[in-house]
Amino acid sequence: MNLLTRIAFIEEVGRIAETNQDQYTLLYAEINHTLQLASLTQGTAAAEELFSRIQSLIIGKVASIAGARIGKLDRSRFGILLKLPVQESVQFAEQLAHLIDQQCIIVADIAYYPKLIIGVTSLSPEYKTPERILAAVDEALFQAKRAGNSVVKLIEYDDPVLHEYYDLLKLLPELREGLTNHAFVLFAQPISPINGADAEKKAEVLLRYKSDQGDSLTQRRLLRAAELFHISREVDLYVVQQLCRYLAENPQHAIYSLNISGSTIRYPGFIGKVEQNFKYYGIDPKKICFEITETVADHDYQNACEFMLLLKKHLGCLLSLDDIGIGSSNLANLSKFNVDFFKIDGLFMQNLLKCPYSELVVSFICTAAKLFERETIAEYVESVEQLEKLKVLGVDYAQGYYVGRPSLLFDPA
């Protein structure tokens, strides 16, 4: 069986999608981290041998299906075209994943246990274009990778995930233009001390989209598009630069908190760009607090720790761990993050006065904060009753509509 190049395989997908009247299904099959492990353990030659043997197994299985085609898309990914109905193709994908799952491949006396992750979609005419087919199978593979090894994920043309994908894709030009033409403005919401402490003024910086309609839905969708298409780090840098501009033009004694996305902590250049802005605008790093959600920090622990260490030790910024209480760490690992503030998720504020569990969680976070010499901030405080309860529980700061609504801080235009 011939192994097509990436270009030839994609051209074949396009040809079949445009002319085919029969049922075809497209699979993306990716080898898990086993190849990287072999390369690190034994070097490139061992990784190549391991790949060659896995490839032979995959080609042998695909060759058993009449009319099937296979292409090598990159170092660890294959594309497979099957002239089969989609459910039969899913069964084939599961068999292929199981075949590789059963392998123990020995290279120079070291055993490797490779796995496959497979995304599946049909070449349905409802996709309209080959590009949408490729986007769908890529999304299916992405979802399969999130679920783990030996997983097969099917996405069809009418999957809600794809509708959101296509809708948000249309917003990319507006998002890019908004960042270039300063259509995003900075708002600030106060963070106030609860027990009347003589603390320095604090506020969280919030990004708002400036449109003729003032459409908050468009704003949320633009930021969702930034997240989905990995533009969040550009948005984060935009906020940093515009805040630095504002502080250079309006010096004041206040600490401003900025939210950081998950993709930003994996961007090595972010720290250097922040440092450049601090130096250019003459900003005191101790006046800037970066907020990272507990979920992001816990899911990407190594990158998050290195990122936070650079922000705190190298730049001298403050740090806040956001959405405390709903992350996957389940409050068990709060001590491992060297931050200045624990920010309690607003979900517990909504139920604070009527749910003993919420009160218990807030109390636990406050106790842990004092033990680790951190301060606490409660979000979504919307009544005097909530504020009084937080005071009793020992929370240090409150943020929410009762304390102060967001207001315009800086229009960069």
Side-chain angles (χ1 to χ4, degrees), residues 56-319:
S56 295
L57 289 166
I58 294 172
I59 291 176
K61 181 68 175 176
V62 173
S64 67
I65 304 297
R69 300 161 176 81
I70 183 169
K72 182 180 177 184
L73 304 183
D74 61 27
R75 183 170 179 265
S76 60
R77 183 182 298 187
F78 297 90
I80 301 169
L81 274 166
L82 300 177
K83 193 177 181 180
L84 292 173
V86 68
Q87 290 305 323
E88 291 183 33
S89 296
V90 169
Q91 292 174 7
F92 170 85
E94 290 171 344
Q95 294 169 7
L96 178 60
H98 180 71
L99 171 66
I100 301 302
D101 194 40
Q102 299 304 302
Q103 303 301 314
C104 171
I105 300 177
I106 298 175
V107 179
D109 297 327
I110 293 184
Y112 295 97
Y113 300 88
K115 312 291 179 185
L116 282 185
I117 306 101
I118 304 176
V120 183
T121 196
S122 62
L123 268 68
S124 171
E126 283 84 355
Y127 276 123
K128 308 298 184 185
T129 67
E131 289 76 17
R132 289 198 168 193
I133 295 171
L134 295 172
V137 74
D138 199 54
E139 177 64 24
L141 180 63
F142 173 73
Q143 291 192 24
K145 288 168 73 173
R146 293 177 66 181
N149 292 324
S150 304
V151 170
V152 175
K153 174 65 179 178
L154 168 67
I155 280 187
E156 291 280 43
Y157 72 91
D158 56 352
D159 193 296
V161 170
L162 291 183
H163 287 296
E164 182 191 31
Y165 185 95
Y166 299 139
D167 288 344
L168 293 178
L169 189 62
K170 297 174 185 176
L171 293 177
L172 281 185
E174 187 174 358
L175 175 60
R176 293 285 190 187
E177 185 177 350
L179 292 173
T180 302
N181 298 330
H182 298 154
F184 289 96
V185 298
L186 305 188
F187 274 56
Q189 184 173 29
I191 300 173
S192 301
I194 290 179
N195 291 295
D198 186 20
E200 193 166 19
K201 177 183 174 184
K202 295 181 177 62
E204 180 179 356
V205 176
L206 305 169
L207 196 62
R208 295 289 183 266
Y209 181 63
K210 183 175 61 177
S211 66
D212 294 337
Q213 296 80 19
D215 188 352
S216 60
L217 177 60
T218 299
Q219 171 190 304
R220 290 195 298 271
R221 286 166 54 75
L222 284 169
L223 295 181
R224 171 67 180 134
E227 178 185 1
L228 183 62
F229 299 111
H230 309 293
I231 307 174
S232 293
R233 70 187 190 190
E234 296 176 40
V235 175
D236 290 345
L237 283 170
Y238 176 90
V239 175
V240 169
Q241 183 176 26
Q242 302 314 321
L243 178 62
C244 288
R245 278 185 60 196
Y246 168 75
L247 293 177
E249 297 169 11
N250 304 273
Q252 55 187 279
H253 297 290
I255 294 174
Y256 287 97
S257 295
L258 311 178
N259 290 285
I260 294 298
S261 67
S263 62
T264 297
I265 70 171
R266 295 184 291 275
Y267 174 43
F270 182 80
I271 302 294
K273 291 182 183 296
V274 171
E275 186 174 23
Q276 289 174 8
N277 277 282
F278 284 177
K279 289 180 178 178
Y280 182 81
Y281 290 103
I283 304 302
D284 181 0
K286 294 184 177 61
K287 303 299 182 184
I288 305 297
C289 179
F290 286 97
E291 292 190 7
I292 300 171
T293 69
E294 180 195 17
T295 301
V296 166
D298 199 60
H299 282 183
D300 201 353
Y301 176 65
Q302 183 174 349
N303 279 321
C305 285
E306 293 173 1
F307 183 83
M308 290 191 286
L309 180 66
L310 288 171
L311 284 175
K312 192 170 181 65
K313 298 299 184 182
H314 178 65
L315 294 186
C317 299
L318 300 174
L319 295 174

Side-chain angles (χ1 to χ4, degrees), residues 41-59:
T41 305
Q42 294 179 284
T44 304
E48 289 298 327
E49 181 179 344
L50 178 60
F51 172 80
S52 178
R53 291 166 68 176
I54 297 171
Q55 176 177 274
S56 295
L57 289 166
I58 294 172
I59 291 176

